[in-house]
Amino acid sequence: MQQPDADEIRVIFQPMNRVVTVPAGTSLFAAIALSGIAIESICGGKGTCGKCRVILIKGSCTDAPDSGTGCRLTPKEREEGYHLACRVALSTDAEFTIPVESRIDSPQILVTQPAAVGTVEPSVTRYQVELSRSDGLPFASQSVRFTGYTGLRPRITDEQYHALLASETPLAAILSTLRAPPTVLSISPADSPAPMYGVAIDLGTTTVVGCLARLDTGEILATGSALNRQITYGEELLTRIGYSASPAGVATLQKAAATSINDVIGTLALNAGIERTAIIDLCLAGNTVMNHLLCGLDPRYLELADAPVSRAPLIRTAQEIGIAVHPAAGVYCLPNVSRFVGGDAVGDMITAGMNASDEISLLVDLGTNGEIVLGNRNWAASVSCASGPAFEGAGIRSGMRAMKGAIDHVHGDPVTGEIRWSTIGSTPARGICGSGIVDLAVAMVETGTLDFAGKLNFRHPRVRTGPDGAEYVLAQAQETGTGREIVITQQDIDYLMDSKAAACGAIAVLLKRYKYTVSDVRHLYLAGAFGAYTDINNAVRFGILPRFPSASVHTIGNGSLSGAYACLLSTRNRAEAESLAHHMVYIDLMVDTAFAEEYSAALYIPGRPDLFPSL
């Protein structure tokens, strides 16, 4: 290879045939990020998760010394040319293959059509313009009024003002009341007014989902999704908070979030056949950390137990945060409640209608972070728990996100002990995703592979001793699409048990604090991908969720997006969201004495007997 400059390195990534040029000494992980290739990385480049495996084809590279605490490659993997991208410093031109197990390829993203909104009353409104010209007054003193508008005098630019006064035809103006005073966004002929478009966004830790709607009718014109580009810097919230320890880190994550939103908006505008600049209002639902990072705020204080968090909605203009729509378009972020209960949970509540029911309801959203809310129209209490990553395939040796080749469902035969599985896309298995992991745990219990304490049984023929101790072989190398075995280790099971205990323990704390039993809950609302794709019976049998014998179960899909859509089209819904956030109780499990007890009781399958009647 020919080196373009003495201080620059040319790197080729296959099979994408992507080429980047970086300064000598650059981390291979950083070069992959620069290339725009999405690669698995749970730890954000710290060398602890082992997901960013690459294979050196040509050239040479230097691995950082083994710290002894990170993920180690096996001798066989090293012989085959494997490296961890985050541990490699580039010193010469090189070519790498990013193997199939390291790629983020066609992820299964939950995109549900938001429910219809009743009365459409957005924060942007069109008004007829009245001009009162007086020959004896100077040009700048001419009067401009908006028919039917009452309130503070709107903010208008000199360019807009002169355009109004110079027009010989009737005009209409669109006003945004998101901020005080209102702002004139655009002016158009009254007889052919420009359509008003808005976008609702679910800014998730892993994915970004959006829908484009007409603001006058509420009609949804397009939906779309993309991966959150922040995942390159770590899949967990605490990892991203750590990355934002400097202003440069905050700026990087802010730009990644805005670019991800722009990716979705570009798809929406293209599919609907409109210009991006015709989008004049945005409503966004995200967790507290995502909201902070999108708005360029330092989120590090959120690591502190019981840290006070503002419950006022964050409001910006599109231009302020780099969203490629009308520059003056308002961006309304549904209000946060606490450190890890954010606008996404508030959106879920709006969608579920918990605020309109007298009956006791429980809302559960187990994503990368778990949010749980108990209450009815008169009160609500919330907790958050770090349970989600395991249920999304993260932190598991053979775990992967839900995409082509992921084992998504598993069935065990208690009589023969055989286990069958299926994959997304019916292709050879590459790994196992969250829904498959929950199914597998139950199947292993049913076939005697796993005991009630979550320990592997060495008497089972598929259980053996591996590099990290006991492990269960789910798929042989010849059965997979990677040529590598798919195994579940005892460490994986321990992590899964920890996650399920955190979720179940969090629910138990809410019930205990408010003196309710599982029989008192009348509605169970399950939001997000966990509710949509996981076998709920298996989630109960494994002990992630208690059994609620009197409850109706409702899966609400992407409740965060639906809530954002409802608030995009209705200022009343925005007021309701702000009221919910303001009045909701938050229990911080880091300082709650009951959580340790409930967590410990949930470290068995399924868990405390009174939470699992009939099991």
Side-chain angles (χ1 to χ4, degrees), residues 133-189:
R133 294 186 174 90
S134 300
D135 294 337
L137 294 176
F139 184 78
S141 300
Q142 306 300 314
S143 175
V144 176
R145 291 186 176 87
F146 303 100
T147 304
Y149 171 75
T150 58
L152 295 173
R153 183 176 180 178
R155 184 188 298 114
I156 185 170
T157 66
D158 289 342
E159 181 181 2
Q160 290 170 335
Y161 181 69
H162 285 78
L164 284 173
L165 295 180
S167 175
E168 297 296 332
T169 58
L171 296 175
I174 295 176
L175 270 62
S176 169
T177 58
L178 185 59
R179 283 174 165 172
T183 302
V184 175
L185 296 180
S186 65
I187 299 166
S188 60

Side-chain angles (χ1 to χ4, degrees), residues 82-99:
Y82 277 85
H83 297 264
L84 296 181
C86 63
R87 307 293 294 169
V88 169
L90 296 164
S91 55
T92 67
D93 288 355
E95 184 173 352
F96 294 88
T97 289
I98 299 181

Side-chain angles (χ1 to χ4, degrees), residues 389-581:
F391 304 135
E392 293 187 337
I396 307 295
R397 179 193 284 184
S398 296
M400 62 183 289
R401 69 185 73 250
M403 57 189 180
K404 193 174 181 180
I407 294 174
D408 60 341
H409 288 295
V410 179
H411 303 278
D413 187 327
V415 177
T416 65
E418 288 298 311
I419 287 182
R420 297 176 289 106
W421 39 262
S422 61
T423 64
I424 296 174
S426 300
T427 60
R430 295 167 51 185
I432 185 167
C433 66
S435 59
I437 289 168
V438 174
D439 284 355
L440 176 61
V442 172
M444 291 170 73
V445 171
E446 291 178 339
T447 57
T449 313
L450 202 64
D451 67 17
F452 75 100
K455 300 303 177 185
L456 288 170
N457 177 9
F458 272 103
R459 292 192 297 273
H460 194 281
R462 284 180 176 258
V463 177
R464 68 187 186 190
T465 300
D468 298 318
E471 62 183 28
Y472 173 85
V473 182
L474 177 60
Q476 302 291 346
Q478 63 271 19
E479 299 178 277
T480 71
T482 63
R484 302 157 66 94
E485 292 177 327
I486 296 175
V487 301
I488 302 296
T489 69
Q490 183 63 61
Q491 290 180 359
D492 295 337
I493 296 295
D494 293 344
Y495 180 46
L496 189 61
M497 292 289 290
D498 173 76
S499 297
K500 85 98 175 170
C504 189
I507 294 170
V509 166
L510 280 176
L511 293 173
K512 177 182 284 188
R513 177 67 67 92
Y514 289 90
K515 295 181 171 55
Y516 287 109
T517 69
V518 291
S519 297
D520 294 318
V521 176
R522 292 292 185 266
H523 298 278
L524 174 63
Y525 294 99
L526 299 173
F530 177 84
Y533 300 124
T534 303
D535 185 314
I536 302 306
N537 287 327
N538 281 345
V540 172
R541 291 161 75 186
F542 184 51
I544 301 170
L545 302 173
R547 181 177 290 283
F548 298 101
S550 306
S552 301
V553 179
H554 315 270
T555 55
I556 62 173
N558 192 331
S560 176
L561 176 64
S562 294
Y565 168 74
C567 292
L568 173 72
L569 294 180
S570 171
T571 52
R572 290 187 184 183
N573 285 335
R574 293 189 185 190
E576 182 65 23
E578 291 171 29
S579 177
L580 282 172

